[in-house]
């Protein structure tokens, strides 16, 4: 403060006014810079939430739902004695399977965390078990429909449930990530508001101090208030 006072006293009146005006502008620019920085961070997080996390959550949820539907259809075909109806259901299974393949291809475009990679590997393993159980049931159905029906309950249904549950866990993981990102966006916005409020109060206080110092130095030089 003493150095500032000496510097101001040694400056001309015009320079003193320029110092006060420049200081106010610098504080204003600082507030603008901080607000842009915080808003940019919030914008990037929101963009990631919309473009990545929400899309992954939607795709994985659809994947789980379609897999469950196809599993129920597969069990219906395995237990059906009406071949015409079974062929109709098989067409629906094929169409849904094509959509599942599209979903998987879309998910491959995204980067995955270590946890997501582990979940994808578990899903692939569960799928192998399910496909093996499914193929065994349909092979057995050719020679012994009754034994095939029993194997549906003992092997195919548990394998299907485990497969769908694995996809469901990944869907829950994506939903949790989405909630956490929403919380982060709101937290960043609240933090930005508090920071700008503090900066505003600080800028106002410092501007008042500088203005007071300049005014006093001018009055001291003039010997009183100008008339």
């Amino acid at each position: 403060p003493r150095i500032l006072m000496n510097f101001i006293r040694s400056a001309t009146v015009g320079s003193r006014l320029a110092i006060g005006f420049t200081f106010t502008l610098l504080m204003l620019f600082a507030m603008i810079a901080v607000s842009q920085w915080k808003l940019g961070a919030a914008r990037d997080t929101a963009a990631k939430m919309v473009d990545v996390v929400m899309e992954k959550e939607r795709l994985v949820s659809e994947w789980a739902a379609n897999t469950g539907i196809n599993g129920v259809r597969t069990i219906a075909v395995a237990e059906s004695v009406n071949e015409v109806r079974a062929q109709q259901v098989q067409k629906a299974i094929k169409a849904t399977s094509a959509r599942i393949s599209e979903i998987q291809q879309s998910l491959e475009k995204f980067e995955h965390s270590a946890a997501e990679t582990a979940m994808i590997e578990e899903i692939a393993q569960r799928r192998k078990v399910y496909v093996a159980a499914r193929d065994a049931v349909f092979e057995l159905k050719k020679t012994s429909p009754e034994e095939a029906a029993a194997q549906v309950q003992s092997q195919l249904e548990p394998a299907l449930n485990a497969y769908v549950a694995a996809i469901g866990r990944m869907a829950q993981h994506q939903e949790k990530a989405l909630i956490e990102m929403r919380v982060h966006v709101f937290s960043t916005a609240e933090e930005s508001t508090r920071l700008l409020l503090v900066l505003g109060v600080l800028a106002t206080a410092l501007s008042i101090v500088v203005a007071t110092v300049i005014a006093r130095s001018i009055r001291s030089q003039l010997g009183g208030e100008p008339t």
Side-chain angles (χ1 to χ4, degrees), residues 150-189:
Q151 194 163 313
V152 165
Q153 296 182 6
S154 64
Q155 296 186 26
L156 183 57
E157 287 185 3
L160 172 63
N161 292 336
Y163 178 30
V164 174
I167 304 175
R169 283 191 289 274
M170 187 172 180
Q172 291 173 356
H173 175 80
Q174 297 302 328
E175 184 178 356
K176 181 180 178 181
L178 182 59
I179 293 173
E180 290 176 351
M181 194 158 287
R182 285 173 177 167
V183 171
H184 179 67
V185 170
F186 290 130
S187 176
T188 301

Side-chain angles (χ1 to χ4, degrees), residues 185-204:
V185 170
F186 290 130
S187 176
T188 301
E190 291 177 356
E191 181 183 346
S192 300
T193 302
R194 289 193 298 268
L195 181 58
L196 288 175
L197 180 60
V198 171
L199 286 176
V201 172
L202 181 62
T204 301

Side-chain angles (χ1 to χ4, degrees), residues 1 10 26-27 33 36 41-43 61 118 127 138 153 162 187-188 227:
S10 63
L26 288 176
M27 294 302 297
Q36 288 299 312
R43 182 174 59 250
S61 295
R127 183 180 184 279
F138 280 104
Q153 296 182 6
S187 176
T188 301
T227 57

